[in-house]
Amino acid sequence: MSTFSKICSAIAVLVILMAGGAWFAFEAYTRSPMQEESREVPLVVPDGASFNQVIDDMARQGAVTYPFAFRVLVRIRKQQQQLKAGEYLINTGWTPERLLQELIRGKGVLYTLSFQEGLPWWDVAKKIEQQGFARAEDFSKVIHDPAFLKKNNIPFSSAEGFLFPETYKLHKPKVLNEASAENVASMLVHMFWQKTSSVWGDDVPDTKVLQKILILASLVEKETAIASERELVAGVYRNRLERGMRMQADPTIIYGLGQDFDGNIRRADIRNKNNEYNTYQHRGLPPGPICSPGLEAINAAMDPAQHDYLFFVAKGDGSHKFSKTLKEHNKAVRKFQLGKKK
């Protein structure tokens, strides 16, 4: 073999070794943490942004090491056009391979939306607005829209009672409008049907029964936070209904007063017959739920306790004194509400 051929062969071997070494180093790069110190870095990917722009942005924040190698990874995987716009929280402890997958899957950051049992729809709307998922005004329009109610099998004039109290994880919308409000409202109602399937299974109550259950459950939710009392309270209201008595529930008056309620129920409020939710003046259950109850209250409304109680009064410690007669009830009122022994 001539000297020239030997040199060419040596160069070829050297090139192969260098290429193999480069490939080995590249593969090691894709599978190793980008940084030894793990930290979270917020990243916003705008609509229409290219991978090159995003990689430059990540490099400026120190979130990706060896940006050239990351560009090569994107090209090798042929995923230049698969970048998803959105808001991300990336971690410098991730491998480049995982970072790429996060950016093309587009799941982004999930935020928490949370509210407790017993809130009326306007307080739910405020929380949704405060947490940046929809405007309260848009949410109100959606949950009172007959088309929305029909689509979601809601037999009331609003979605009150169906806005299931839960902790949700979701993306924040780019634009706050009626569409984003409907997305949130649909999610809450879907959760209601999903959770209550454990109560009635496939045998969903007919419209009238469902209305009665949800209204009664909302009263139970507002009247007591003590688990052991829920069935008792439901039983009191069932007994009153069976005897044709008025419910005489303060929370119904409050709901009828709406967002104007200032914290005090006045004698005029109790006497107000124009308030259709005033169960001191109108017999039977109010026309609709007065809040969105939790699953425990719904269970209590489905199966009230069997007893002879017709009255209950708050004892001041969160619990209630239950009575069978008006005489017993008046005595309990004097003791627990008026501070008298007799």
Side-chain angles (χ1 to χ4, degrees), residues 113 115 119-130 133-145 148-149 157-164 168 170 176-189 292:
L113 169 62
F115 58 94
L119 296 182
W121 69 260
W122 53 83
D123 283 341
V124 174
K126 289 175 185 175
K127 284 186 173 291
I128 290 171
E129 181 172 272
Q130 289 167 357
F133 296 102
R135 294 182 304 203
E137 180 183 0
D138 292 330
F139 187 80
S140 174
K141 290 180 182 178
V142 168
I143 65 169
H144 289 87
D145 179 10
F148 176 83
L149 301 175
S157 60
S158 80
E160 186 73 276
F162 289 79
L163 308 173
F164 197 80
Y168 299 86
L170 65 162
L176 298 182
N177 52 26
E178 283 192 39
S180 59
E182 183 171 355
N183 288 338
V184 177
S186 297
M187 179 182 64
L188 305 188
V189 174
S292 284

Side-chain angles (χ1 to χ4, degrees), residues 143-206:
I143 65 169
H144 289 87
D145 179 10
F148 176 83
L149 301 175
K150 182 179 181 180
K151 181 173 67 175
N152 289 283
N153 301 312
I154 298 174
F156 296 109
S157 60
S158 80
E160 186 73 276
F162 289 79
L163 308 173
F164 197 80
E166 184 62 275
T167 297
Y168 299 86
K169 292 288 187 179
L170 65 162
H171 297 286
K172 286 190 176 180
K174 298 173 185 176
V175 179
L176 298 182
N177 52 26
E178 283 192 39
S180 59
E182 183 171 355
N183 288 338
V184 177
S186 297
M187 179 182 64
L188 305 188
V189 174
H190 176 76
M191 182 64 76
F192 168 85
W193 289 114
Q194 179 181 324
K195 291 289 187 178
T196 55
S197 65
S198 65
V199 178
W200 43 66
D202 296 329
D203 188 20
V204 179
D206 63 37

Side-chain angles (χ1 to χ4, degrees), residues 32-43 58 62-65 88-96 98-100 102-103:
S32 302
M34 290 181 292
Q35 295 182 13
E36 291 184 4
E37 182 182 352
S38 178
R39 62 186 177 89
E40 292 184 331
V41 179
L43 175 69
M58 291 190 295
V64 61
T65 52
Y88 297 84
L89 194 62
I90 61 178
N91 194 301
T92 58
W94 290 349
T95 65
R98 177 178 175 183
L99 174 58
L100 175 60
E102 292 288 337
L103 294 174

Side-chain angles (χ1 to χ4, degrees), residues 138-282:
D138 292 330
F139 187 80
S140 174
K141 290 180 182 178
V142 168
I143 65 169
H144 289 87
D145 179 10
F148 176 83
L149 301 175
K150 182 179 181 180
K151 181 173 67 175
N152 289 283
N153 301 312
I154 298 174
F156 296 109
S157 60
S158 80
E160 186 73 276
F162 289 79
L163 308 173
F164 197 80
E166 184 62 275
T167 297
Y168 299 86
K169 292 288 187 179
L170 65 162
H171 297 286
K172 286 190 176 180
K174 298 173 185 176
V175 179
L176 298 182
N177 52 26
E178 283 192 39
S180 59
E182 183 171 355
N183 288 338
V184 177
S186 297
M187 179 182 64
L188 305 188
V189 174
H190 176 76
M191 182 64 76
F192 168 85
W193 289 114
Q194 179 181 324
K195 291 289 187 178
T196 55
S197 65
S198 65
V199 178
W200 43 66
D202 296 329
D203 188 20
V204 179
D206 63 37
T207 298
K208 289 185 178 180
V209 174
L210 179 62
Q211 287 175 322
K212 181 178 178 180
I213 290 171
L214 262 293
I215 295 171
L216 181 55
S218 70
L219 267 66
V220 171
E221 190 67 71
K222 295 299 288 186
E223 291 285 17
T224 183
I226 299 178
S228 61
E229 289 189 346
R230 291 191 180 104
E231 288 80 6
L232 291 172
V233 171
V236 168
Y237 286 130
R238 181 205 54 208
N239 291 345
R240 283 177 161 263
L241 284 171
E242 290 177 351
R243 289 166 174 76
M245 299 173 64
R246 293 184 174 90
M247 299 294 99
Q248 295 185 327
D250 290 353
T252 64
I253 293 180
I254 294 170
Y255 186 84
L257 294 173
Q259 300 181 63
D260 295 330
F261 179 62
D262 62 4
N264 295 310
I265 298 177
R266 297 169 176 81
R267 186 169 297 178
D269 296 326
I270 296 175
R271 293 175 175 175
N272 183 9
K273 292 184 179 181
N274 293 325
N275 180 351
E276 61 180 347
Y277 282 84
N278 184 351
T279 54
Y280 281 84
Q281 297 297 325
H282 304 290

